[in-house]
């Protein structure tokens, strides 16, 4: 049975949790452990809390039974240390990791209250949650600390990471977790957790002794460590991950070809365990801090690697810890299967029978698939086709004038829009940043009913060319008819039906790309920006107005599909720079989502939602999207300005090498 839950971060997890039973191994101690499997995906058309009932108890009779998310969070947040063996840079996992972090923080606050240790005068005396990340090498700790102190934002952190860090992970999916830690820095502390990669290479090239000496000189390893030896069970797990061998099949024996590589893995495990040991010494026993350790599955699976090394020095943590292992649902382990016996057989085949101990919880997720994105696009197309069907009905030009003026349009631009202005759809004025010149070729992505394309055609002039692209056939039809009535269709303005994530244009076709609100509805923002980059000429520029989310959307609330797909504000700049854009600026100088429009007098002011520039008081005959509908009436109680922001993404595509060479 699948239920829905939201873990924030602008993503939704669809999960079912199950319990397994195992015993702790690794020669430390044994412990009865509840293991859960969560099947997850990101259906952006859903947002509700998981309601699966909790099945209490940890005996063998609970094997494979479901457990609610809140019970899972209560369990892991009650532990001193939580290990999360991840598949790197997966949004679904980051959502769960952030939910765990929030629960740990809440648990420490409750502990302080119950123990009367909440000292408002001494922030250092408060219990903390320490997040130790494989993603950052130990030489980046100073940058992490400066980030948490607010000396620079997450975009600058990512820039420094690329310049200094050695792990080369994609940090974009982790932005919400990083920013949550920054916003709660009084209680959440970020720590670089991994030995810089050159030391692992040194193990292979110069030998274990040289690598140990060099790492100990930097205090990355304990002085008493003289060799890198792992257990045979650990090697079997390590080798199986390298070869794909199933270690639980009969007569399945490991090869020896990775014996020489194994110490390079062990030195990373030792270093992370040493980092944790140092944190324990610094913060115990005065405070009962909590720890969240994030690293790849290979460093944690079956309690080997980092957990094993930690338990060797801190056996008291064995029964005060939790291990979550993540895996994508695939042909080996299909979480979507309705055949539960077959599913659990595949779990046992992959992770071993009861007692094999892959971890306390197994998180099986489904990444977003094309059919989900197609469903979102179909919903969007249907909604805006309805808008196009009634676009010929007259609207309120006075209100349109107020809206467009507030959003930054000039009187001249409003006059260009003319009687079509009441069909304005947008969240800002991209023209003020695009600066379209006479003779330029322009693409308007998500052109809707054509207002911004009409204005762009005016600026491009008779020698320029403007193309409007939209998913909605009915809006394209209306815009084309209006262009014909203006005597500009087929001359320098045309509208086509198409997908912004797969544009029907040749490479390097346009001087300028504008968009006004359409990116809110793109399921895959990276693909859409990559398409802009592809179709822009070298040296071309973009001005993309879109809405963003600043904080996670509250779980259990019915949010419009567009809001569920808003990109996080801090993700935009690093994403565009990753694609290759230069001079990236995120302008939020006019960012309010809700604002008052001036009436004839002060008491006659109107409040407008920034979503599509629409007003709930327009005539009912004209179809609109979201605003004013009874379905979303409950959102009137929310401060949208605190949740979201309208921004313009401005950037250029690098000039060709030949053009750059000609510049003085």
């Amino acid at each position: 049975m699948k239920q829905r839950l939201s873990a924030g971060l602008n993503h939704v997890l669809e999960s079912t949790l199950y319990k397994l039973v195992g015993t702790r191994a690794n020669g430390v101690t044994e412990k009865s452990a509840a293991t859960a499997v969560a099947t997850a995906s990101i259906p952006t058309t859903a947002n509700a809390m998981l309601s699966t009932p909790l099945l209490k108890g940890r005996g063998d009779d609970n094997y494979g039974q479901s457990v609610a998310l809140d019970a899972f969070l209560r369990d892991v947040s009650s532990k001193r240390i939580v290990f999360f063996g991840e598949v790197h840079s997966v949004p679904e996992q980051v959502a769960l990791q952030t939910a765990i972090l929030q629960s740990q923080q809440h648990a420490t606050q409750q502990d302080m209250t119950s123990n009367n240790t909440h000292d408002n005068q001494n922030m250092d005396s408060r219990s903390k949650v320490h997040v130790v990340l494989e993603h950052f090498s130990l030489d980046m700790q100073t940058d992490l600390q400066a980030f948490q102190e607010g000396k620079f934002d997450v975009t600058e952190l990512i820039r420094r990471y690329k310049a200094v860090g050695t792990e080369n992970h994609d940090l974009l999916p982790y932005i919400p977790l990083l920013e949550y830690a920054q916003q709660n820095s009084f209680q959440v502390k970020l720590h670089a957790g991994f030995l810089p990669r050159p030391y692992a290479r040194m193990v292979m090239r110069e030998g274990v002794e040289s690598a140990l000496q060099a790492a100990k000189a930097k205090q990355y390893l304990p002085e008493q460590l003289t060799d890198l030896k792992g257990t045979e069970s650990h090697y079997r797990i390590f080798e199986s991950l390298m070869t794909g061998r199933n270690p639980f099949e009969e007569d399945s024996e490991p090869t020896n070809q990775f014996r020489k590589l194994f110490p390079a893995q062990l030195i990373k495990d030792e270093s992370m365990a040493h980092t944790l040991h140092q944190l324990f010494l610094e913060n115990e026993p005065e405070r009962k801090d909590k720890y969240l350790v994030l690293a790849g599955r290979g460093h944690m699976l079956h309690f080997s690697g980092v957990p094993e090394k930690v338990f060797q020095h801190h056996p008291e943590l064995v029964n005060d810890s939790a291990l979550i292992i993540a895996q994508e649902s695939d042909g080996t382990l299909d979480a979507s299967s309705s055949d539960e016996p077959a599913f659990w057989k595949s779990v046992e085949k992959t992770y071993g029978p009861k007692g094999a101990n892959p971890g306390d919880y197994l998180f099986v997720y489904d990444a977003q698939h094309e059919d989900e994105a197609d469903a979102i696009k179909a919903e969007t197309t249907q909604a805006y086709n309805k808008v196009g069907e009634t676009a010929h009905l007259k609207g309120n030009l006075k209100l349109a004038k107020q809206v467009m003026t507030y959003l930054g349009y000039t009187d001249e631009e409003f006059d260009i829009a003319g009687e079509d202005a009441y069909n304005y759809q947008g969240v800002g004025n991209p023209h003020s940043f695009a600066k379209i010149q006479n003779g330029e070729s322009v693409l308007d992505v998500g052109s809707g009913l054509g207002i911004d394309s009409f204005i762009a055609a005016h600026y491009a002039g008779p020698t320029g060319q403007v193309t409007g692209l939209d998913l909605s056939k009915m809006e394209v039809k209306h815009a084309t008819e209006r262009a014909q009535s203006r005597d500009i269709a087929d001359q320098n303005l045309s509208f086509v039906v198409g997908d912004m994530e797969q544009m029907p244009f040749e490479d390097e076709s346009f001087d300028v790309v504008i968009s006004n609100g359409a990116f809110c509805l793109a399921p895959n923002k990276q693909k859409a920006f990559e398409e802009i980059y592809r179709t822009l000429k070298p040296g071309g520029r973009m001005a993309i107005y879109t809405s963003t989310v600043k904080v996670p959307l509250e779980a259990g609330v019915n949010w419009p599909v567009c809001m569920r797909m808003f990109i996080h504000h801090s993700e935009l700049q690093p994403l565009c720079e990753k694609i290759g854009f230069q001079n990236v600026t995120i302008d939020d100088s006019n960012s309010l989502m809700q604002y008052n429009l001036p009436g004839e007098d002060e008491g006659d002011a109107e409040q407008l939602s920034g979503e599509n520039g629409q007003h709930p008081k327009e005539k009912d005959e004209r179809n609109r999207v979201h605003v004013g509908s009874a379905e979303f009436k409950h959102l009137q109680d929310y401060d949208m300005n605190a949740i979201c922001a309208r921004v313009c993404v401005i950037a250029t595509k690098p000039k060709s090498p030949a053009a750059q060479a000609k510049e003085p």
Side-chain angles (χ1 to χ4, degrees):
M1 178 179 63
K2 287 192 174 183
Q3 301 288 337
R4 289 167 178 165
L5 63 96
S6 170
L9 313 186
N10 223 18
H11 292 292
V12 180
L13 305 177
E14 185 178 70
S15 303
T16 305
L17 290 161
Y18 298 93
K19 286 188 176 182
L20 300 175
V21 173
T23 55
R24 292 283 175 92
N26 296 330
V28 181
T29 186
E30 292 189 349
K31 165 193 166 184
S32 175
T35 304
V37 176
T39 66
S41 64
I42 6 178
T44 49
T45 54
N47 193 318
M49 287 302 293
L50 181 71
S51 57
T52 307
L54 168 65
L55 300 177
K56 297 181 179 180
R58 291 192 170 191
D60 288 344
D61 58 334
N62 290 323
Y63 180 82
Q65 294 184 346
S66 60
V67 60
L69 175 69
D70 58 353
F72 161 77
L73 292 175
R74 280 198 304 271
D75 180 35
V76 297
S77 64
S78 70
K79 309 301 183 185
R80 294 289 303 286
I81 186 166
V82 177
F83 300 98
F84 197 116
E86 67 170 25
V87 180
H88 298 308
S89 304
V90 176
E92 295 88 342
Q93 291 174 79
V94 179
L96 186 60
Q97 290 163 352
T98 306
I100 293 169
L101 174 57
Q102 292 169 335
S103 296
Q104 287 180 306
Q105 183 188 8
H106 181 66
T108 58
Q109 291 171 340
Q110 287 185 319
D111 289 344
M112 288 188 295
T113 300
S114 61
N115 295 326
N116 296 318
T117 58
H118 197 304
D119 186 353
N120 290 322
Q121 302 302 317
N122 186 359
M123 299 291 284
D124 289 338
S125 69
R126 296 185 178 187
S127 294
K128 306 288 193 298
V129 181
H130 301 273
V131 184
V132 183
L133 301 131
E134 173 195 351
H135 318 74
F136 291 88
S137 51
L138 295 168
D139 50 358
M140 285 207 70
Q141 183 57 42
T142 301
D143 286 324
L144 271 180
Q145 185 172 340
F147 165 70
Q148 282 216 273
E149 292 171 354
K151 294 180 178 178
F152 48 79
D153 62 12
V154 73
T155 301
E156 177 61 22
L157 177 65
I158 292 175
R159 285 185 183 141
R160 296 187 181 208
Y161 176 81
K162 291 178 179 178
V164 178
T166 63
E167 293 307 301
N168 298 317
H169 294 291
D170 178 6
L171 291 185
L172 290 181
Y174 297 94
I175 284 178
L177 184 146
L178 293 170
E179 289 199 326
Y180 179 85
Q182 185 187 51
Q183 294 160 5
N184 295 273
S185 60
F186 67 95
Q187 197 175 6
V188 177
K189 300 299 177 184
L190 296 175
H191 302 276
F194 240 46
L195 188 72
R197 195 172 293 272
Y199 293 93
R201 289 197 290 264
M202 191 181 296
V203 170
M204 301 298 296
R205 296 173 182 174
E206 302 177 30
V208 169
E209 185 177 350
S210 295
L212 290 179
Q213 288 179 353
K216 285 192 283 188
K218 289 283 191 177
Q219 298 184 333
Y220 293 159
L221 291 170
E223 282 295 331
Q224 63 270 26
L225 184 65
T226 59
D227 202 355
L228 296 172
K229 293 183 179 179
T231 62
E232 182 61 22
S233 62
H234 185 187
Y235 176 75
R236 293 175 69 92
I237 295 164
F238 171 73
E239 184 270 349
S240 70
L241 292 173
M242 299 295 290
T243 63
R245 177 185 62 88
N246 188 334
F248 300 106
E249 289 183 347
E250 290 186 16
D251 302 323
S252 177
E253 293 298 323
T255 67
N256 291 319
Q257 68 183 102
F258 296 103
R259 295 283 181 185
K260 292 183 178 180
L261 181 62
F262 190 37
Q265 177 87 347
L266 294 174
I267 196 172
K268 301 174 189 175
D269 297 336
E270 293 280 8
S271 179
M272 189 172 232
H274 178 62
T275 298
L276 285 161
H277 177 66
Q278 294 300 112
L279 289 174
F280 298 152
L281 293 179
E282 292 171 7
N283 300 295
E284 308 296 337
E286 291 81 7
R287 297 196 309 257
K288 296 297 183 182
D289 290 0
K290 294 184 181 294
Y291 302 85
L292 175 60
V293 186
L294 308 182
R297 289 160 33 97
H299 295 285
M300 295 189 176
L301 193 58
H302 293 272
F303 298 92
S304 60
V306 177
E308 178 182 27
K309 302 300 181 184
V310 170
F311 294 157
Q312 285 176 356
H313 296 286
H314 298 275
E316 74 278 5
L317 292 176
V318 171
N319 290 305
D320 205 3
S321 62
L323 170 61
I324 300 107
I325 296 296
Q327 176 182 324
E328 183 176 2
S329 176
D330 55 20
T332 304
L333 197 68
D334 185 4
S336 64
S337 173
S338 58
D339 187 348
E340 283 203 10
F343 173 69
W344 288 107
K345 186 176 180 180
S346 67
V347 170
E348 290 190 353
K349 182 178 180 180
T350 304
Y351 291 100
K354 300 176 187 179
N357 270 324
D360 289 313
Y361 293 90
L362 179 63
F363 179 59
V364 184
Y365 62 90
D366 289 327
Q368 185 181 26
H369 296 292
E370 290 299 322
D371 55 348
E372 295 168 345
D374 289 344
I376 294 164
K377 292 174 185 177
E379 181 180 344
T380 300
T381 301
Q382 182 181 25
Y384 283 95
N385 275 337
K386 290 182 179 179
V387 173
E389 290 171 357
T390 59
H392 63 283
L393 299 175
K394 301 296 181 182
N396 188 335
L397 276 177
K398 178 182 177 182
L399 178 61
K401 170 72 171 178
Q402 292 175 323
V403 171
M404 293 180 69
T405 298
Y406 179 84
L407 295 179
Y409 287 85
T410 64
D411 290 341
E412 179 188 14
E413 288 167 340
F414 179 77
D415 291 340
I416 295 167
E419 64 179 20
D420 289 293
Y422 58 74
N423 276 327
Y424 173 78
Q425 299 165 298
V427 297
N429 180 11
H431 304 284
S432 60
F433 300 100
K435 306 295 183 186
I436 298 168
Q437 302 298 308
N438 190 59
E440 288 188 315
S441 57
V442 183
L443 172 62
D444 181 7
V445 178
S447 50
L449 298 171
I451 310 306
D452 284 306
S453 295
F454 300 151
I455 297 172
H458 171 80
Y459 286 129
T463 60
Q465 179 65 45
V466 177
T467 304
L469 175 77
D470 203 278
L471 270 177
S472 168
K473 292 181 180 179
M474 295 306 297
E475 292 203 331
V476 166
K477 178 177 181 292
H478 176 87
T480 300
E481 291 172 351
R482 290 301 304 147
Q484 291 170 345
S485 71
R486 288 168 169 259
D487 295 327
I488 53 176
D490 300 324
Q491 297 178 25
N492 73 332
L493 175 61
S494 60
F495 294 92
V496 297
V497 177
D499 186 343
M500 71 177 75
E501 295 176 10
Q502 197 171 7
M503 297 186 194
F505 308 118
E506 297 295 326
D507 295 356
E508 302 179 2
S509 296
F510 303 101
D511 298 299
V512 186
V513 176
I514 62 171
S515 184
N516 198 354
F519 267 67
C520 305
L521 296 164
N524 191 321
K525 304 292 192 291
Q526 180 168 330
K527 277 188 179 180
F529 277 113
E530 287 173 344
E531 280 293 270
I532 288 180
Y533 189 88
R534 179 184 67 81
T535 56
L536 269 176
K537 297 177 182 179
R541 61 198 184 276
M542 70 172 177
I544 310 299
Y545 242 110
T546 188
S547 297
T548 65
V549 66
K550 298 191 292 184
V551 296
L553 298 181
E554 182 181 338
V557 176
N558 181 21
W559 302 98
V561 62
C562 58
M563 290 187 67
R564 297 198 298 271
M565 287 191 294
F566 283 178
I567 190 171
H568 196 282
H569 184 287
S570 298
E571 292 182 38
L572 280 168
Q573 185 165 340
L575 173 60
C576 292
E577 290 176 344
K578 173 185 174 183
I579 291 169
F581 285 104
Q582 295 180 340
N583 307 314
V584 181
T585 301
I586 311 300
D587 186 280
D588 56 3
S589 57
N590 183 358
S591 64
L592 296 183
M593 294 293 292
Q594 290 178 311
Y595 42 85
N596 290 324
L597 293 177
E600 293 184 11
D601 54 58
E602 186 174 347
D604 196 27
E606 301 270 21
Q607 188 178 69
L608 187 79
S609 168
E611 172 60 22
N612 289 328
Q614 293 171 322
H615 194 281
K617 292 185 179 180
E618 289 188 12
K619 293 181 180 180
D620 292 337
E621 292 86 353
R622 289 171 49 79
N623 288 316
R624 302 179 306 281
V625 179
H626 305 320
V627 179
S629 67
E631 182 182 3
F632 300 107
K633 187 177 180 180
H634 58 282
L635 298 183
Q636 295 175 4
D637 298 329
Y638 288 84
D639 181 2
M640 291 298 168
N641 293 330
I643 299 172
C644 306
R646 297 177 295 107
V647 303
C648 190
V649 186
I650 311 149
T652 57
K653 182 175 180 176
K655 296 179 180 179
S656 65
Q660 293 179 21
K662 293 179 180 179
E663 293 181 347

